[in-house]
Amino acid sequence: MTLEELYEIGSGFRETLAAFKAEIHVCGSGGCIASGSLQLKDAFDNACAARKVAADVRVITTGCMGLCGAGPLVRLQPSNTLYVKVKPEDAERIVDSHVIKEKPVKDLLFPKASAFFDKQVSIALKNMGRIDPESIEDYIAHGGYEGLAKAITYYTQEGVVLEVRNSGLRGRGGGGYPTGLKWDITRRVASSEKYVVCNADEGDPGAFMDRAMLEGNPHAILEGMAIAGYAVGANQGYIYVRGEYPLAIERLKKAIKQSERTQILGNRIFDSGFNFRIDLRIGAGAFVCGEETALLQSIEGERGMPRPRPPYPSQSGLWGKPTLLNNVETFANIPAIVLNGGKWFSQIGTEKSKGTKVFALAGRIVNTGLIEVPMGITLREIIFDIGGGIPDNGEFKAAQTGGPSGGCIPVQHLDTPVDYESLSHVGSMMGSGGLIVMDHTSCMVDIAKYFMKFCRDESCGKCVPCRVGTVQLYRLLDRVTTGTATNDDMDILEELCVMVKDTSLCGLGQSAPNPVMSTLHFFRKEYEQHIHEQHCAAGVCPIGPTAGLGDVATDVAQEQGASHG
């Protein structure tokens, strides 16, 4: 593959697209597929064929379009018209009215002027929902692999690293470590063998950012990894992806084959001396394998358990070799940074948190879905402008960021800017991008107990503070939710949180107490109501005749709720 051949593929496919009178894009993300979007795509194919316009209309399945709660979604081009909650029986009238008569179907329209899209900035999600994720030609026609071509043909290795450093990009996996600095450290380590690893082991409850990007634009991840390989001097990359993501795995495999077939991956990339290959490694779903050293150990064929650091992976990673490890969203930002320059990227966001952040918006909120916002936007703008607020005119209670490692942010901090430092200041963290909104129907003690149960179950057991501490923390929280705790239990709970946070081996244990600590700080009154008044204001906890039965009581309450529902 040469640079000229890349441009030739892109221009050729753009000519093919220009020949169509219209394009019908059907969202093929996991949520829309569950709502019947594959049957919807068939319905559009049949409708176009029956009206003998199939040759003039391109019907494709795309990646996530973002507005997941209103799916299945359909976008018509070139008018950029978005239809929501489309059913297979709507396909014929959309083709008749919009495609043939050019009159949109009003009752299914989503407004073109909407804060949901207007307040977003797409970099990592660029082209999501607008291209066929299984077509490398479509990706190239929309500027794909031009970043890799520029990196190899225009920049030195040092030059690429400098652009990434100038961009101010920080790791989007949660830690926020400066990406350019990590690349520079890996590049400087002298070794004949280095690796690039993509952490796609997304495990936070409610998070689906990485899955959506892998399903909707897999070539962008491959391109970002290949640029990283060139910059740090690696010839081999691995994507560690969860086995629970079968569609993402399928599309990654196709994307890798397509890239190898067109010689974008492989030997002498763009007629240079740079060789790079990418292989997949399928994870078994252990949350701890999202921790970088545990992930590397799993790739090596060992049980996924954290290793003490230092040495860090950039110095001694896979099989003892220097290894650059970033997550999916971090790699998805790289092609745009190389193409547009680090300075361009650094102009977006805040002083210390540059660029954008992808969030999976979930919970008690009108517009659930996938969003990408500039750093520095406030939680209020995300929840009430983009998210549309609380359903049924409900009252906002808290937003949980950072998954099981994060914290719950109350209403008085709604105007907190979304950046690494500000979220940490209010007791939470950026995390990988899960954002769960809660209203008055959520009990904050029960929320803390839920996340502690998750951490307890997912602890690998290697270090005592995490293995034993999370069990004890869960037991204490269970006593609170059943109304059997005492003031002494509260003292022990707070003391144990600090101990587990300060003495655990890896990030999972160190951050496990965060939901408890933040809810104790902002919602202590709810803990006290459970203990002193035997009362759960949200009506969630099994206080009363079932108190003291712990998990059994919860199971009984859930069964009763199910039978009444």
Side-chain angles (χ1 to χ4, degrees), residues 43-229:
F44 275 112
D45 281 331
N46 294 334
C48 289
R51 286 150 185 78
K52 302 187 185 306
V53 295
D56 297 324
V57 182
R58 180 180 183 237
V59 183
I60 61 170
T61 302
T62 71
C64 182
M65 295 183 183
L67 199 61
C68 305
L73 303 169
V74 174
R75 179 180 281 115
L76 261 73
Q77 299 287 24
S79 61
N80 196 31
T81 303
L82 183 65
Y83 289 113
V84 298
K85 297 185 178 179
V86 185
K87 300 172 184 172
E89 52 266 35
D90 297 319
E92 291 187 350
R93 63 187 182 116
I94 290 176
V95 172
D96 286 337
S97 180
H98 195 143
V99 175
I100 297 176
K101 299 177 182 176
E102 299 184 355
K103 293 181 180 178
V105 178
K106 293 183 179 178
D107 61 298
L108 296 174
L109 279 177
F110 187 78
K112 284 195 174 180
S114 165
F116 182 85
F117 291 111
D118 293 346
K119 289 210 167 186
Q120 295 194 47
V121 175
S122 295
I123 298 176
L125 299 184
K126 184 188 175 187
N127 294 329
M128 285 274 291
R130 297 179 181 278
I131 65 172
D132 180 354
E134 298 189 5
S135 167
I136 190 173
E137 292 83 6
D138 209 351
Y139 181 68
I140 293 173
H142 287 80
Y145 289 112
E146 290 184 12
L148 176 61
K150 183 177 180 181
I152 294 174
T153 61
Y154 182 78
Y155 286 113
T156 61
Q157 292 174 298
E158 295 88 339
V160 175
V161 172
L162 184 60
E163 287 300 325
V164 177
R165 291 195 72 153
N166 289 341
S167 74
L169 176 67
R170 297 167 64 173
R172 297 301 195 239
Y177 190 81
T179 303
L181 178 58
K182 182 185 279 189
W183 286 32
D184 204 18
I185 293 171
T186 310
R187 183 187 67 80
R188 289 174 183 274
V189 177
S191 176
S192 59
E193 197 173 351
K194 299 180 183 179
Y195 298 100
V196 171
V197 174
C198 176
N199 183 349
D201 194 54
E202 183 176 54
D204 288 3
F208 54 92
M209 306 79 56
D210 292 353
R211 174 176 60 77
M213 284 185 268
L214 294 170
E215 291 175 354
N217 201 7
H219 283 285
I221 314 305
L222 304 186
E223 184 178 3
M225 290 181 67
I227 292 171

Side-chain angles (χ1 to χ4, degrees), residues 491-542:
D491 293 338
I492 296 171
L493 184 68
E494 291 184 274
E495 186 180 339
L496 196 52
C497 280
V498 175
M499 189 277 288
V500 172
K501 185 180 183 70
D502 290 346
T503 58
S504 292
L505 174 61
C506 78
L508 189 153
Q510 292 164 7
S511 58
N514 284 350
V516 184
M517 296 173 80
S518 71
T519 50
L520 275 171
H521 182 71
F522 292 119
F523 301 95
R524 176 176 286 270
K525 186 179 177 182
E526 291 196 24
Y527 282 81
E528 293 172 345
Q529 283 178 332
H530 284 72
I531 296 172
H532 302 307
E533 302 173 21
Q534 305 285 298
H535 176 63
C536 174
V540 174
C541 298

Side-chain angles (χ1 to χ4, degrees), residues 222-542:
L222 304 186
E223 184 178 3
M225 290 181 67
I227 292 171
Y230 171 74
V232 304
N235 298 128
Q236 177 66 52
Y238 292 100
I239 301 176
Y240 188 86
V241 58
R242 296 180 78 82
E244 293 97 326
Y245 289 176
L247 182 59
I249 292 170
E250 178 187 332
R251 288 185 173 162
L252 279 170
K253 286 179 176 176
K254 285 183 180 177
I256 291 171
K257 283 184 179 178
Q258 290 171 346
S259 300
E260 290 175 342
R261 192 174 63 242
T262 53
Q263 298 181 326
I264 287 175
L265 292 180
N267 295 329
R268 295 186 54 77
I269 298 174
F270 291 115
D271 223 12
S272 71
F274 174 55
N275 309 323
F276 194 72
R277 288 179 172 77
I278 296 176
D279 289 316
L280 298 185
R281 290 292 182 268
I282 312 299
F287 182 69
V288 73
C289 286
E291 198 278 337
E292 61 180 12
T293 59
L295 184 152
L296 296 178
Q297 194 154 306
S298 180
I299 291 179
E300 291 173 352
E302 304 293 331
R303 179 179 175 185
M305 299 181 86
R307 301 168 179 165
R309 296 176 298 179
Y312 292 94
S314 54
Q315 299 162 316
S316 178
L318 268 181
W319 298 291
K321 304 296 182 184
T323 301
L324 174 70
L325 196 150
N326 285 128
N327 89 326
V328 172
E329 185 182 345
T330 307
F331 282 124
N333 276 293
I334 297 299
I337 289 173
V338 173
L339 267 181
N340 301 307
K343 185 178 178 182
W344 163 79
F345 189 85
S346 69
Q347 292 171 346
I348 304 168
T350 66
E351 181 182 355
K352 293 183 178 179
S353 299
K354 304 297 185 184
T356 60
K357 182 74 190 79
V358 177
F359 285 101
L361 203 52
R364 293 289 295 166
I365 192 163
V366 173
N367 298 326
T368 57
L370 194 70
I371 63 172
E372 183 175 8
V373 293
M375 292 281 194
I377 192 172
T378 65
L379 275 173
R380 185 185 300 278
E381 290 174 281
I382 291 179
I383 294 167
F384 288 93
D385 295 341
I386 296 174
I390 311 302
D392 306 321
N393 294 318
E395 186 177 346
F396 171 83
K397 187 173 189 178
Q400 208 273 351
T401 65
S405 305
C408 297
I409 304 169
V411 65
Q412 60 264 37
H413 291 297
L414 264 177
D415 291 313
T416 298
V418 174
D419 60 51
Y420 291 97
E421 285 71 27
S422 299
L423 290 177
S424 176
H425 185 69
V426 295
S428 190
M429 62 187 297
M430 184 74 76
S432 59
L435 202 165
I436 301 172
V437 180
M438 290 165 273
D439 66 3
H440 69 283
T441 61
S442 295
C443 169
M444 303 313 293
V445 186
D446 184 65
I447 293 292
K449 178 182 164 184
Y450 166 79
F451 282 115
M452 188 52 64
K453 180 178 186 299
F454 179 87
C455 291
R456 181 200 66 180
D457 294 346
E458 293 293 338
S459 174
C460 74
K462 183 169 184 175
C463 74
V464 174
C466 179
R467 183 180 71 238
V468 180
T470 53
V471 171
Q472 295 304 322
L473 283 169
Y474 177 79
R475 286 179 178 172
L476 289 166
L477 289 167
D478 189 58
R479 285 182 200 167
V480 178
T481 57
T482 54
T484 58
T486 64
N487 287 334
D488 288 343
D489 288 328
M490 287 286 283
D491 293 338
I492 296 171
L493 184 68
E494 291 184 274
E495 186 180 339
L496 196 52
C497 280
V498 175
M499 189 277 288
V500 172
K501 185 180 183 70
D502 290 346
T503 58
S504 292
L505 174 61
C506 78
L508 189 153
Q510 292 164 7
S511 58
N514 284 350
V516 184
M517 296 173 80
S518 71
T519 50
L520 275 171
H521 182 71
F522 292 119
F523 301 95
R524 176 176 286 270
K525 186 179 177 182
E526 291 196 24
Y527 282 81
E528 293 172 345
Q529 283 178 332
H530 284 72
I531 296 172
H532 302 307
E533 302 173 21
Q534 305 285 298
H535 176 63
C536 174
V540 174
C541 298

